[in-house]
């Protein structure tokens, strides 16, 4: 089951967290918009019984919740740092709005001066709000207003949404200091580690299966059987070293396949939250070979092993050099980054969605190849001949499948490519790969 986490803040904050949280497949976010401290406290009390942790937009919101809401779940807020100011300053500088001084709240003077130095703006007059740590939005807005009216500052920079709204009504030029994605990631990781479900899952058994792609071809390139056996030993040693990092147990299933056991918490940390498999890069750099990896989670060792085998099959169907994860609820994650960088790691693909795709004639092999190709190239749209080449089928077969998938609601016709001669070529978009519901 997914871990429910509450996200409370302004719409812009919720939108940013909703994007970042896609790299945390364990989380199921429940969002509530709140424009003021009073609304934040009310939203927290409303969400408290439904979630295992709360993530708020800032220190003021966190203080309001602690003072006005009775909660039994851990609460975290996303801090602001120089990265957000850097982006806001750069935006204002590029628009030619830094002709005078600036006023800043929510950050320390050291953070502000360091950021100005990085941008080569050390000479800019700067005023940093040094009032109470939990000053009200009214007081901070009044601070910026007075500096603006006195002609001391041409631009205000604030980390509080309510302050930005007040300054807008007062016609004081301002830029919002937004949270960086990395700050959000750190807060989400802290929230994840605090949940009871997470602590229970830390010790859950994970089964992994590793297969060396085209090992037979590699062996044929060796000049003697002695060289083949040395290659096997080298691969075994490499895999053994990787599993040792996972504090896991390894067994060889044959010359080109291995099975390992570890725990979910260790595996998640070593893969950076289900993002990369460092072993694949080592295998490519050291021996010029690629790996197919399947990872299985399950409520029992048998379920985890079955899911690992299914995930390995999907990695092979994708053409190798891929890793997929199948969780205990049969949702699919992948492909993880291997030797070659991928553009995106897919969020969990619902088992019901996969089933519907297969009912519409999209086999598991075709789906695996599409998922793998999409993650590596960020490609969602294909012409018939491109799809035929990707799936290793004839153009005629690709035409037939596309018509079937259009009828099944998997694919949309989104345009035409004009040709010098003949009829225009249709362009097909695989909408469900873009996160749209089937």
């Amino acid at each position: 089951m997914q871990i429910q986490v509450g996200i409370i803040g302004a719409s812009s904050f919720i939108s940013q967290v909703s994007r970042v949280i896609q790299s945390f497949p364990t989380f199921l976010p429940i969002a509530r918009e709140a424009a003021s401290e009073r609304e934040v406290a009310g939203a927290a009390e409303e969400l408290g019984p439904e979630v295992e942790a709360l993530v708020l937009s800032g220190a003021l919101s966190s203080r309001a919740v602690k003072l006005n809401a009775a909660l039994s779940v851990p609460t975290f807020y996303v801090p602001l740092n120089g990265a957000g100011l850097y982006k806001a300053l750069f935006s204002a500088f590029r628009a030619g709005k830094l002709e005078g001084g600036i006023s800043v709240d929510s950050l320390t003077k050291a953070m502000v001066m360091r950021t100005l130095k990085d941008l080569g703006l050390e000479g800019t007059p700067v005023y940093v709000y040094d009032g109470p740590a939990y000053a009200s939005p009214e007081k901070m807005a009044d601070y910026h207003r007075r500096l603006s009216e006195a002609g001391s500052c041409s631009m205000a920079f604030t980390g509080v949404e309510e302050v930005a709204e007040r300054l807008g009504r007062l016609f004081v030029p301002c830029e919002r200091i937004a949270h960086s994605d990395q700050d959000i990631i750190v807060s989400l990781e802290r929230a994840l580690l605090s949940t009871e479900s997470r602590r229970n899952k830390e010790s859950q058994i994970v089964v992994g299966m590793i297969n060396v792609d085209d090992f037979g071809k590699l062996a044929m390139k060796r000049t003697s059987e002695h060289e083949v056996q040395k290659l096997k030993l080298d691969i075994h040693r490499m895999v053994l070293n990787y599993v040792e990092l996972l504090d896991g147990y390894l067994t060889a299933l044959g010359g080109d396949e291995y099975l390992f056991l570890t725990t979910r918490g260790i595996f998640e940390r070593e893969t950076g939250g289900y993002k990369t498999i460092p072993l694949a890069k080592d295998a490519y750099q050291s021996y010029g070979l690629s790996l197919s990896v399947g990872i299985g989670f399950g409520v029992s060792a048998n379920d985890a092993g079955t899911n690992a085998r299914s995930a390995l099959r999907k990695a092979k169907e994708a053409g190798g050099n891929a890793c997929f994860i199948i969780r205990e609820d049969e949702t699919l994650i992948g492909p993880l980054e291997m030797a070659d960088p991928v553009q995106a790691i897919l969020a969990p693909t619902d088992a019901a969605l996969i089933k519907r795709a297969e009912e519409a004639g999209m086999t598991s092999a075709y789906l695996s190849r599409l998922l793998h190709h999409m993650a590596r190239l960020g490609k969602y749209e294909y012409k018939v001949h491109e799809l035929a080449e990707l799936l290793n089928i004839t153009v005629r077969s690709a035409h037939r499948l596309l018509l079937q998938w259009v009828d099944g609601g998997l694919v949309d016709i989104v345009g035409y490519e004009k040709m010098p001669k003949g009829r225009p070529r249709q362009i097909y978009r695989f909408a469900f790969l873009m996160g749209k519901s089937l």
Side-chain angles (χ1 to χ4, degrees), residues 66-387:
K66 288 179 179 179
L67 292 178
N68 302 303
L71 299 175
S72 59
V73 297
T75 302
F76 303 88
Y77 71 88
V78 182
L80 287 171
N81 62 28
L85 177 61
Y86 190 104
K87 184 177 180 180
L89 280 168
F90 183 74
S91 175
F93 177 76
R94 191 168 55 180
K97 298 179 180 179
L98 289 184
E99 298 175 353
I102 64 172
S103 58
V104 184
D105 65 45
S106 304
L107 299 176
T108 65
K109 189 167 185 177
M111 288 180 182
V112 175
M113 298 310 297
R114 186 166 54 247
T115 305
L116 288 171
K117 183 178 179 181
D118 289 343
L119 286 170
L121 300 172
E122 300 99 316
T124 302
V126 58
Y127 299 85
V128 180
Y129 181 73
D130 59 355
Y134 296 103
S136 67
E138 294 89 345
K139 287 185 177 180
M140 284 191 281
D142 187 59
Y143 172 80
H144 293 293
R145 178 191 60 77
R146 285 187 282 106
L147 287 170
S148 178
E149 290 178 351
S152 302
C153 295
S154 63
M155 178 67 66
F157 293 84
T158 178
V160 182
E161 184 79 20
E162 193 172 348
V163 173
E165 291 177 357
R166 287 177 177 272
L167 292 175
R169 291 195 294 270
L170 294 169
F171 301 102
V172 174
C174 74
E175 284 278 347
R176 178 83 162 82
I177 304 173
H179 301 91
S180 70
D181 285 1
Q182 186 57 41
D183 291 333
I184 293 174
I185 289 171
V186 171
S187 298
L188 288 173
E189 287 174 344
R190 291 175 59 204
L192 180 61
L193 292 172
S194 73
T195 63
E196 183 178 353
S197 295
R198 168 66 189 198
R199 291 193 293 270
N200 293 336
K201 287 186 176 181
E202 281 279 322
S203 57
Q204 183 182 8
I205 292 296
V206 169
V207 176
M209 290 185 176
I210 302 170
N211 184 272
V212 181
D213 295 328
D214 298 321
F215 180 78
K217 292 182 180 178
L218 291 171
M220 292 296 290
K221 295 179 181 179
R222 297 302 188 269
T223 57
S224 66
E225 180 61 22
H226 181 71
E227 291 295 321
V228 174
Q229 295 303 320
K230 282 181 63 178
L231 176 62
K232 288 183 178 181
L233 287 173
D234 288 339
I235 294 172
H236 188 98
R237 187 181 297 109
M238 175 187 65
V239 176
L240 185 63
N241 289 338
Y242 175 69
V243 174
E244 186 177 11
L245 292 175
L246 298 173
D247 288 335
Y249 174 81
L250 176 72
T251 184
L253 301 181
D256 61 348
E257 192 164 288
Y258 301 86
L259 180 144
F260 67 86
L261 304 175
T262 185
T263 58
R264 187 164 182 167
I266 294 174
F267 179 76
E268 185 172 287
R269 286 191 290 273
E270 288 297 323
T271 57
Y274 313 143
K275 294 181 179 66
T276 62
I277 297 290
L279 172 65
K281 187 173 183 179
D282 293 341
Y284 181 78
Q285 291 181 341
S286 300
Y287 306 106
L289 55 86
S290 66
L291 304 175
S292 293
V293 182
I295 305 296
F297 301 160
V299 294
S300 68
N302 181 55
D303 289 343
T306 300
N307 288 340
R309 176 61 69 182
S310 297
L312 177 62
R313 185 166 58 250
K314 291 188 180 298
K316 283 293 186 182
E317 290 170 349
N321 191 31
C323 174
F324 285 93
I325 299 172
I326 294 182
R327 302 194 303 180
E328 60 270 32
D329 58 0
E330 297 186 4
T331 52
L332 178 71
I333 303 173
L336 278 66
E337 183 176 332
M338 304 291 277
D340 299 320
V342 298
Q343 288 195 3
I345 304 299
L346 296 182
T349 305
D350 188 85
L353 186 147
I354 295 173
K355 182 179 179 182
R356 183 169 177 187
E358 292 179 345
E359 288 175 349
M362 184 175 290
T363 66
S364 177
Y366 294 157
L367 181 59
S368 297
R369 283 182 180 269
L370 286 165
L371 289 171
H372 190 251
H373 199 247
M374 186 282 286
R376 293 204 173 278
L377 302 178
K379 187 175 178 65
Y380 300 92
E381 296 179 358
Y382 297 87
K383 294 183 279 290
V384 174
H385 69 281
E386 293 176 327
L387 188 68

